[in-house]
């Protein structure tokens, strides 16, 4: 499941990839930019929108099992300090998640 945070749905028939529009959230605001995102991989449009503020995503009725949660970020705006600084917490099933960041 792919969710385009703050953005629209997108489906690519050739690759079989479908991005849901910004759904399953509670709270927060949306920020969008029309700037082209360089080095955005195969789907750079997903980096042109973001959900910010205090919000959560909740996915109900997922079958039991192990899941990989892969979060992608881009700096559309700089509101909390110098470029490259992000402050956030992520909780999965009410537990604070640990991250390995790559750039």
């Amino acid at each position: 499941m792919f969710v385009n945070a703050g953005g629209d749905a997108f489906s690519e028939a050739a690759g079989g990839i479908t991005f849901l529009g910004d759904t399953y959230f509670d709270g927060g605001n949306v920020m969008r930019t029309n700037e082209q995102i360089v080095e955005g991989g195969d789907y750079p449009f997903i980096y042109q929108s973001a959900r910010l503020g205090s919000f959560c995503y909740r996915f109900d009725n997922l079958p039991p099992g192990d899941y990989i949660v892969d979060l992608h970020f881009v700096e559309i705006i700089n509101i909390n300090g110098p470029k490259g600084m992000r402050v956030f917490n992520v909780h999965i099933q009410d537990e604070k998640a640990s991250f390995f960041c790559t750039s």
Side-chain angles (χ1 to χ4, degrees):
M1 175 186 320
F2 300 93
V3 177
N4 186 9
D8 298 323
F10 173 80
S11 182
E12 179 184 296
I17 300 289
T18 298
F19 288 87
L20 300 175
D22 195 21
T23 55
Y24 301 105
F25 67 88
D26 182 26
N29 296 302
V30 171
M31 171 62 81
R32 296 178 191 211
T33 182
N34 290 324
E35 287 187 42
Q36 294 299 312
I37 305 300
V38 295
E39 299 182 26
D42 293 335
Y43 307 102
F45 66 89
I46 66 170
Y47 302 107
Q48 291 180 298
S49 62
R51 181 158 291 284
L52 53 111
S54 181
F55 64 93
C56 70
Y57 283 88
R58 181 180 179 100
F59 302 95
D60 293 320
N61 302 317
L62 293 174
D66 295 327
Y67 291 87
I68 294 173
V69 178
D70 192 5
L71 305 173
H72 292 240
F73 299 94
V74 67
E75 292 180 345
I76 298 174
I77 58 172
N78 180 14
I79 60 171
N80 290 321
K83 187 173 184 176
M85 181 178 152
R86 298 176 190 98
V87 178
F88 60 91
N89 292 313
V90 174
H91 292 79
I92 299 174
Q93 292 185 327
D94 296 324
E95 292 186 24
K96 190 172 181 180
S98 299
F99 287 95
F100 297 98
C101 297
T102 60
S103 56

